Amino acid sequence: GQQLNQSPQSMFIQEGEDVSMNCTSSSIFNTWLWYKQEPGEGPVLLIALYKAGELTSNGRLTAQFGITRKDSFLNISASIPSDVGIYFCAGSFSGSARQLTFGSGTQLTVLP
Amino acid sequence: ETGVTQTPRHLVMGMTNKKSLKCEQHLGHNAMYWYKQSAKKPLELMFVYNFKEQTENNSVPSRFSPECPNSSHLFLHLHTLQPEDSALYLCASSQEPKETGELFFGEGSRLTVL
């Protein structure tokens, strides 16, 4: 089946630093989604990407749909303590939610 | 408030117990899902219901039994579980067909099997 490799697995950064994480797929996707899961909560959708090369922002978050359609990147600028959580990428070839493949997550810790 | 509500939030059960997890969505969606989340692993899709019909069952052991009485409610019945079944069980919903792939998750039910 499809596999997503998400890296890094964890990050410890100082408040104010920028953060980058990425996902690569063994096959082409037509939809890339980025979710954030805070402790004790379910994942919440941050950004959705539907077109190769697309760059989309949501506040301090920016995500890109790789031109090869096999990767995606998430950047967080000027991190703050509430950015703490697990960030998941998810991709789908068909675009259907039932065929989403998830990455294993990037655990982000922001140090004051 | 995510629009998807799960109860209970925490559950501890013995291997011989029978319990159920409940999910309710207030988003008017027609598809509902159960996912299993274990530490440092990708989310594992267990079951999908579309218009109350089960459309996916990803080789889940029979000790997990889903029930979807209507498009707003989803249950996961648990019976004679194993310690390795301890995990966070997430319910999600979506509107299908809508090729955006967006899932809306509940807050999860943390299950511990002793």
Side-chain angles (χ1 to χ4, degrees), chain A residues 33 35 37 40-41 50 95 98, chain B residues 9 37 50 101-103 107:
Chain A
L33 306 173
Y35 284 86
Q37 185 175 23
E41 305 292 330
Y50 303 111
R98 76 182 64 191
Chain B
R9 295 290 308 275
Q37 185 177 30
N50 197 343
E102 295 178 31
L103 283 170
E107 295 170 321

Side-chain angles (χ1 to χ4, degrees), chain B residues 39-96:
Chain B
K40 300 186 179 177
K41 285 187 176 180
L43 293 176
E44 299 173 50
L45 179 63
M46 299 174 71
F47 301 104
V48 182
Y49 277 83
N50 197 343
F51 295 104
K52 301 185 296 177
E53 298 291 324
Q54 184 176 317
T55 57
E56 301 260 350
N57 175 344
N58 282 357
S59 304
V60 179
S62 59
R63 57 185 183 269
F64 295 91
S65 173
E67 179 189 359
C68 188
N70 54 60
S71 59
S72 298
H73 293 85
L74 185 65
F75 295 89
L76 187 62
H77 303 300
L78 314 170
H79 176 49
T80 58
L81 295 191
Q82 305 296 312
E84 60 265 28
D85 296 323
S86 298
L88 182 69
Y89 288 85
L90 290 164
C91 174
S93 71
S94 70
Q95 183 63 27
E96 301 288 318

Side-chain angles (χ1 to χ4, degrees), chain A residues 53-100:
Chain A
E54 181 181 357
L55 190 71
T56 298
S57 293
N58 178 3
R60 293 177 295 105
L61 277 62
T62 302
Q64 184 162 23
F65 193 139
I67 199 74
T68 65
R69 295 199 286 158
K70 289 187 175 183
D71 55 9
S72 181
F73 306 85
L74 177 69
N75 296 313
I76 305 173
S77 62
S79 58
I80 59 178
S82 62
D83 290 333
V84 163
I86 304 175
Y87 292 79
F88 291 97
C89 63
S92 167
F93 176 79
S94 69
S96 172
R98 76 182 64 191
Q99 292 173 341
L100 276 177

